[in-house]
Amino acid sequence: MLDLGCGAGRDVYAIAQLVGEDGHVIGVDMTPEQLETARKYEEYHKNQFGFAKSNVTFKNGLIEKLDEVGIENDSIDVIVSNCVINLVPDKESVIREVKIR
């Protein structure tokens, strides 16, 4: 799964529990400070969920340019975005990017 505009990772961690240890959730955000906060709780959530390894990855970048953050084409099953796409000036570019992921 992919969370566009993940911020501090709250939704990423909720989804991480739902997909289980064999699933994987990628959070993308353009704010390094938000991602720093998200990463700070990775070990905590892994332990809370009883997982042997973390099932989340956080990437810094623009949701309009997913190729620049290393999101491969045809690599994502489900994409979520909680109140972020509406903030992007070029919404069409976001839709084009998610169409191929």
Side-chain angles (χ1 to χ4, degrees):
M1 289 189 69
L2 175 64
D3 182 4
L4 300 176
C6 68
R10 183 173 286 181
D11 291 344
V12 169
Y13 289 119
I15 296 164
Q17 186 175 22
L18 293 172
V19 302
E21 191 169 8
D22 293 330
H24 193 83
V25 185
I26 302 168
V28 176
D29 202 273
M30 63 182 241
T31 310
E33 294 83 6
Q34 292 275 39
L35 294 172
E36 182 180 330
T37 299
R39 289 182 182 115
K40 185 166 55 171
Y41 294 100
E42 187 172 348
E43 187 72 14
Y44 169 82
H45 284 92
K46 176 188 75 87
N47 293 334
Q48 285 296 113
F49 301 154
F51 296 167
K53 60 180 175 49
S54 176
N55 66 344
V56 301
T57 303
F58 293 99
K59 295 178 176 271
N60 182 251
L62 299 173
I63 64 173
E64 308 96 295
K65 299 179 179 183
L66 295 174
D67 57 330
E68 292 181 7
V69 296
I71 308 293
E72 299 293 324
N73 290 351
D74 297 321
S75 65
I76 303 296
D77 294 320
V78 177
I79 298 173
V80 298
S81 183
N82 189 358
C83 300
V84 176
I85 296 174
N86 62 309
L87 302 173
V88 177
D90 186 4
K91 292 163 189 51
E92 287 184 25
S93 66
V94 176
I95 300 305
R96 274 193 304 275
E97 281 293 308
V98 300
K99 237 173 127 174
I100 60 175
R101 302 296 156 202

